[in-house]
Amino acid sequence: MMPVVLWTDALVFLLLAAAVGAGFQVRRRAYLLASWRRVGESRAGMAALLVLLAFAAIGLLDSLHYRPRLADANGRPANGYSTEVRSALDALLRPLRNAAEKTYSAPLATHLYARETVEQPDGTQVRLFPRLKHGGAHLRDADAEWGGDVTWRVLRGLLIAVLAGLTFAFAAVHVAARRWGVRRAQAWRNIRRGETRLAWNAALLTAGLLLLVAGPAVSLAGGYHVLGTDKVGQDVLYLTLKSIRTGLVIGTLTTLAMLPFALALGIAAGYLGGWVDDVIQYIYTTLNSIPGVLLIAAAVLMVQVAIDTRPDWFATAAQRADARLLALCLILGVTSWTGLCRLLRAETLKLRELEYVQAAQAFGAPAARIMGRHILPNVMHIVLIAVVMDFSGLVLAEAVLSYIGIGVDPSTISFGTMINTARLELAREPVVWWSLVAAFTFMFVLVLAANLFADAVRDAFDPRLAGRRNAAAVRERP
Amino acid sequence: MLAYVIRRLLHAIPILVGVNLLTFTLFFVVNTPDDMARMQLGVKRVTPEAIEKWKAERGYDKPLLFNGNAEGAARLTRTIFFEKSAKLFVFDFGRADDGRDIGHEIRTRMGPSLAIALPTFLLGLFVTVSFALLLAFFRATYLDFWGVVLCVAMMSISSLFYIIGGQYLVSKVWHLVPISGYAGGLDAARFLLLPVLISVVAGIGSSTRWYRTIFLEEIGKDYVRTARAKGLAEAAVLFRHVLRNAMIPILTGVVVVIPLLFMGSLLVESFFGIPGLGSYTIDAINAQDFAVVRAMVFIGSVLYIVGLLLTDLSYTLVDPRVRLQ
């Protein structure tokens, strides 16, 4: 196989490297570490972090792309590579990916959603619901065995989940006991009662819940379509898992794209003042006064025309779709940096008058150095809060934009394209509800976790809330 | 005051020129007049003469930004940019690609857009402020906690879910109102009920949480303690003192969107088949009709600037400390 690094992949891993680097920075600085500890002390924050990590793991797996080697007629590897780009997640989910049916089928169904005319062995034709090729194909008598088989698989999944959860919890307690220097029973009691500094009980509980959902799902996915299939027979569970990466990419890369603009322009406007301030204010007022959706629409149309008229730019369809995804991130970034820029300008205006900046000026430090070394680190909390607060909004925006037709490429699997194709299915009789419900549920969990995490981060880092926090601590003291 | 308003309006001119320049560049960098002519004429009838004729008819046969062949000021005025955007300033939008007058379309479609946007705005403001006051009244109780949880959950749900779910439940399962469509006069109420309700519900989560924070910030201030010390009931404190002072930060966010109500809502209008400006914009985006998109961008920018001005003026009304100069 030949590894393929799409543009978004490269940026995702750049972001990961930056996050790891930032992690090391935080470890070295006590005041940053204290703020992150406060995030960990929040039970909602810990639970949300764990869910986000699970989503991020899926997204990262889906960001390792390759082109498989072509096989010849006998199945032996041949020269050359397929034009189809796959990811590590595709390889992991191969049974789901390959188990395509003819058309819709309900979750856990054994029969197709629509009637078909089937020829019997004796030559007569009957209209019936044909059996699925993959869903429940291992059952000989589907109607009689279905209930027992599903129950058995759910129980097996739950059992594995419980065992895995207990092992995980035991390992966590063991490690905790070693680190705190207490007996294991004591460590367990501390965690259970929430008497630890970080909210380990919330983390363990969330991990347990995730396992309890994932266990039966994995166990059932071996023989059924857990969330049904869509119009062309693709497994809906596979589609939703693939959608996660698109949502994460849009939520994170957009902020990555806008950050340099917002930081440089915001701080420069606030610190330098004068005509620089006027020009930057003019730029962001102009951008701000264009209705966001229209600016995005105009820009996406342009990108679409540019991509369509130059087919030679891209080797594979995946690379073309990826270029459009990246372009969407950049466009969303360009249209959404103004808010952060204004916040940074206001904060810089305040910092500029503080003694330590004036001392640096008195020492004759150049403006660029003062902005980079003295002001930038002191506005980073605003940047962090803005980044985490924007994430959930961007994930939601992707769905809306894809619905309007100015979102991701129609061939990119995303929550927006899933909802868009599934929306007319509600008009069918009986209703095809599973694609919509699956997309909305996964999106809801992702956005809810992001919102809760953003709240925890804001509470921990916002200095305006710090005063209130200290006041509360003083009041509580006996 | 008047001088302030006039100065602010003069400030708007360079911004609007910038907006036009930006949209103009965005479009013509990739999509030249030749491309537009080819797309409009269709693949079969494309000859160099036909393209030239199409461009001449629509005034696209001039240089984009700078005319080297002309003299004096005409170097800048005899260009596509000047001819196409100067007219926007007197609200002459020209014709769409299908030959219809854009100005006329906008005037007729403004009504349905407002018929949805205005009730949504007023009802939404009333509901969210009351809900936020309720949460602030019961602050630090279980009601407050679960109210906030509900808000966070509601703002984590996609707006598409509210629309699709609402349409399915109310129109398809319960058959209460038509799924989509529009009619003039009093008949419109039947069609407007569901979209208005859905828009209000979809907006509850984030607004309520924001207003609640504002109220709680006000409740912590000294004048509230004074009011309580005087022996006022908690309800009187909330409505007579806190609500009135909290109106100042609430106004910042609210007044600026009032003019934008004219633009309608892209999503709701297209889902419910309402012939307003929002669905007009979506149709234009899908048809790649640039004349319409540019007109809507221009109107949107004008309305936004008007909104900012109204926000400043409204400050002087609610906060006597603010003086404009």
Side-chain angles (χ1 to χ4, degrees):
Chain A
M1 61 184 191
M2 178 169 74
V4 177
V5 181
L6 301 176
W7 273 102
T8 49
D9 295 345
L11 290 173
V12 162
F13 285 106
L14 183 72
L15 198 65
L16 186 68
V20 172
F24 278 110
Q25 288 285 325
V26 168
R27 278 182 71 98
R28 294 217 322 253
R29 278 155 220 227
Y31 61 99
L32 288 176
L33 203 55
S35 289
W36 278 109
R37 280 233 177 85
R38 278 202 293 276
V39 177
E41 282 165 20
S42 143
R43 266 177 293 176
M46 266 306 233
L49 180 65
L50 212 74
V51 174
L52 286 180
L53 284 177
F55 275 103
I58 295 173
L60 284 176
L61 269 182
D62 205 9
S63 293
L64 295 165
H65 284 102
Y66 65 92
R67 280 161 74 175
R69 191 177 265 277
L70 285 175
D72 63 8
N74 304 325
R76 281 199 305 269
N79 282 332
Y81 297 95
S82 159
T83 54
E84 187 191 19
V85 176
R86 289 194 198 153
S87 71
L89 187 73
D90 288 331
L92 208 67
L93 298 177
R94 191 181 317 191
L96 289 185
R97 183 187 156 81
N98 292 340
E101 306 293 345
K102 210 180 245 169
T103 180
Y104 298 116
S105 66
L108 301 180
T110 52
H111 292 82
L112 215 54
Y113 161 84
R115 266 182 228 271
E116 268 184 12
T117 310
V118 176
E119 198 162 323
Q120 298 290 90
D122 56 4
T124 56
Q125 289 187 336
V126 282
R127 284 188 60 77
L128 46 72
F129 297 103
R131 280 288 294 269
L132 294 179
K133 271 184 284 180
H134 302 278
H138 55 285
L139 305 177
R140 209 170 301 130
D141 179 5
D143 293 329
E145 294 172 31
W146 181 80
D149 188 56
V150 167
T151 320
W152 155 238
R153 278 172 189 266
V154 168
L155 286 179
R156 194 178 60 177
L158 285 177
L159 186 70
I160 294 172
V162 167
L163 285 179
L166 285 180
T167 321
F168 183 66
F170 184 78
V173 167
H174 181 74
V175 172
R178 293 274 304 265
R179 286 193 69 170
W180 297 332
V182 293
R183 290 182 32 236
R184 277 201 287 265
Q186 182 64 37
W188 170 242
R189 203 157 20 203
N190 285 350
I191 290 176
R192 194 166 47 92
R193 292 183 182 164
E195 287 163 354
T196 53
R197 276 196 63 189
L198 304 185
W200 290 118
N201 51 354
L204 278 181
L205 192 67
T206 316
L209 283 178
L210 283 178
L211 279 173
L212 284 184
V213 175
V218 171
S219 167
L220 283 168
Y224 299 92
H225 298 289
V226 182
L227 297 176
T229 54
D230 73 350
K231 187 170 185 180
V232 289
Q234 276 177 299
D235 191 281
V236 173
L237 180 63
Y238 171 74
L239 293 178
T240 33
L241 290 177
K242 291 283 284 181
S243 300
I244 290 172
R245 173 178 186 264
T246 316
L248 291 178
V249 162
I250 290 196
T252 53
L253 292 193
T254 301
T255 26
L256 187 72
M258 78 166 189
L259 220 48
F261 288 102
L263 272 175
L265 295 183
I267 292 179
Y271 184 74
L272 298 175
W275 67 270
V276 179
D277 190 19
D278 289 341
V279 170
I280 293 172
Q281 278 204 60
Y282 170 72
I283 295 176
Y284 76 60
T285 316
T286 306
L287 272 178
N288 226 3
S289 61
I290 303 179
V293 184
L294 288 180
L295 187 58
I296 295 168
V300 169
L301 284 183
M302 306 311 116
V303 170
Q304 188 55 35
V305 171
I307 290 177
D308 285 349
T309 49
R310 291 160 187 83
D312 48 316
W313 281 2
F314 310 103
T316 59
Q319 275 159 323
R320 200 170 59 230
D322 182 70
R324 178 149 176 195
L325 179 63
L326 184 64
L328 183 67
C329 290
L330 294 179
I331 292 162
L332 280 171
V334 168
T335 52
S336 66
W337 62 276
T338 50
L340 179 60
C341 184
R342 204 194 312 228
L343 283 179
L344 288 174
R345 176 177 168 273
E347 186 70 16
T348 312
L349 279 177
K350 254 188 275 168
L351 293 178
R352 189 175 67 170
E353 304 303 326
L354 291 186
E355 285 86 353
Y356 73 93
V357 177
Q358 288 180 345
Q361 283 166 341
F363 281 130
R369 191 179 160 81
I370 294 178
M371 286 192 274
R373 286 292 293 274
H374 299 285
I375 292 182
L376 181 67
N378 289 303
V379 297
M380 279 320 266
H381 65 279
I382 296 183
V383 174
L384 182 73
I385 293 171
V387 167
V388 289
M389 297 287 265
D390 281 352
F391 177 85
S392 53
L394 288 166
V395 175
L396 291 176
E398 184 273 328
V400 172
L401 291 177
S402 295
Y403 163 73
I404 304 180
I406 50 175
V408 296
D409 192 82
S411 69
T412 308
I413 303 171
S414 79
F415 292 126
T417 47
M418 272 184 78
I419 293 168
N420 199 13
T421 47
R423 144 184 94 84
L424 294 173
E425 293 163 3
L426 283 182
R428 289 172 175 272
E429 204 62 52
V431 177
V432 177
W433 48 269
W434 44 89
S435 311
L436 270 181
V437 170
F440 278 131
T441 310
F442 271 71
M443 203 156 85
F444 173 69
V445 173
L446 175 60
V447 173
L448 184 64
N451 275 334
L452 291 176
F453 185 66
D455 281 356
V457 169
R458 192 197 49 196
D459 290 348
F461 279 86
D462 195 338
R464 279 196 310 159
L465 299 175
R468 211 181 293 165
R469 202 161 43 225
N470 293 339
V474 170
R475 221 175 300 133
E476 277 166 20
R477 212 164 285 156
Chain B
M1 182 83 158
L2 189 69
Y4 177 81
V5 173
I6 292 175
R7 208 174 59 234
R8 284 290 296 268
L9 288 179
L10 287 179
H11 272 288
I13 294 175
I15 292 176
L16 289 176
V17 172
V19 167
N20 267 320
L21 201 61
L22 189 75
T23 36
F24 183 81
T25 332
L26 260 181
F27 192 66
F28 283 104
V29 160
V30 194
N31 204 354
T32 61
D34 283 12
D35 292 336
M36 284 164 62
R38 263 183 224 116
M39 213 179 90
Q40 287 298 318
L41 291 170
V43 186
K44 280 179 195 160
R45 283 174 288 159
V46 169
T47 57
E49 297 81 50
I51 289 179
E52 285 307 318
K53 185 160 163 284
W54 188 91
K55 278 161 63 181
E57 272 172 9
R58 285 163 178 75
Y60 283 119
D61 55 346
K62 300 181 188 70
L64 289 178
L65 283 172
F66 184 77
N67 194 340
N69 296 329
E71 291 295 320
R75 279 168 184 251
L76 288 176
T77 53
R78 285 187 56 78
T79 56
I80 299 180
F81 174 67
F82 186 82
E83 292 195 348
K84 293 280 170 196
S85 54
K87 282 184 187 162
L88 288 178
F89 282 92
V90 291
F91 294 95
D92 174 7
F93 302 115
R95 293 186 177 281
D97 284 350
D98 58 3
R100 291 200 209 160
D101 182 32
I102 297 178
H104 176 73
E105 286 280 310
I106 289 175
R107 278 190 294 280
T108 49
R109 283 166 174 269
M110 212 183 248
S113 276
L114 272 181
I116 282 205
L118 209 57
T120 305
F121 172 74
L122 294 176
L123 192 64
L125 194 63
F126 176 72
V127 169
T128 46
V129 167
S130 332
F131 192 26
L133 264 180
L134 184 78
L135 294 185
F137 187 77
F138 289 101
R139 62 190 171 279
T141 62
Y142 274 107
L143 185 75
D144 180 34
F145 175 80
W146 286 109
V148 174
V149 169
L150 183 71
C151 285
V152 176
M154 283 181 79
M155 61 192 261
S156 304
I157 297 174
S158 169
S159 51
L160 292 170
F161 177 80
Y162 290 111
I163 297 177
I164 296 176
Q167 256 183 340
Y168 176 73
L169 208 63
V170 178
S171 297
K172 186 157 182 272
V173 179
W174 295 340
H175 296 289
L176 290 181
V177 290
I179 284 191
S180 67
Y182 187 73
L186 277 179
D187 219 17
R190 247 173 357 117
F191 293 99
L192 294 181
L193 191 66
L194 186 59
V196 168
L197 274 183
I198 286 177
S199 316
V200 168
V201 172
I204 284 182
S206 51
S207 312
T208 303
R209 217 165 74 115
W210 185 45
Y211 295 157
R212 175 183 164 272
T213 331
I214 292 175
F215 287 138
L216 288 186
E217 220 155 85
E218 284 295 321
I219 282 177
K221 288 192 177 159
D222 286 342
Y223 72 88
V224 179
R225 197 165 44 195
T226 311
R228 286 210 197 96
K230 285 194 301 187
L232 287 184
E234 184 69 18
V237 173
L238 268 186
F239 283 99
R240 286 236 298 277
H241 296 263
V242 174
L243 180 60
R244 288 177 65 173
N245 280 293
M247 282 320 279
I248 300 171
I250 291 179
L251 268 179
T252 341
V254 165
V255 174
V256 74
V257 302
I258 293 178
L260 287 172
L261 294 178
F262 283 98
M263 301 281 290
S265 153
L266 295 182
L267 267 189
V268 172
E269 284 183 17
S270 75
F271 260 100
F272 288 94
I274 286 154
L277 286 176
S279 51
Y280 188 49
T281 314
I282 288 211
D283 292 346
I285 289 172
N286 288 332
Q288 309 210 348
D289 189 336
F290 189 64
V292 177
V293 173
R294 197 179 43 193
M296 297 307 294
V297 167
F298 183 77
I299 296 177
S301 318
V302 171
L303 292 175
Y304 178 75
I305 291 168
V306 171
L308 287 183
L309 185 60
L310 285 181
T311 310
D312 285 353
L313 295 182
S314 64
Y315 273 146
T316 58
L317 292 179
V318 295
D319 191 347
R321 288 170 302 181
V322 176
R323 293 260 162 73
L324 301 175
Q325 45 200 309

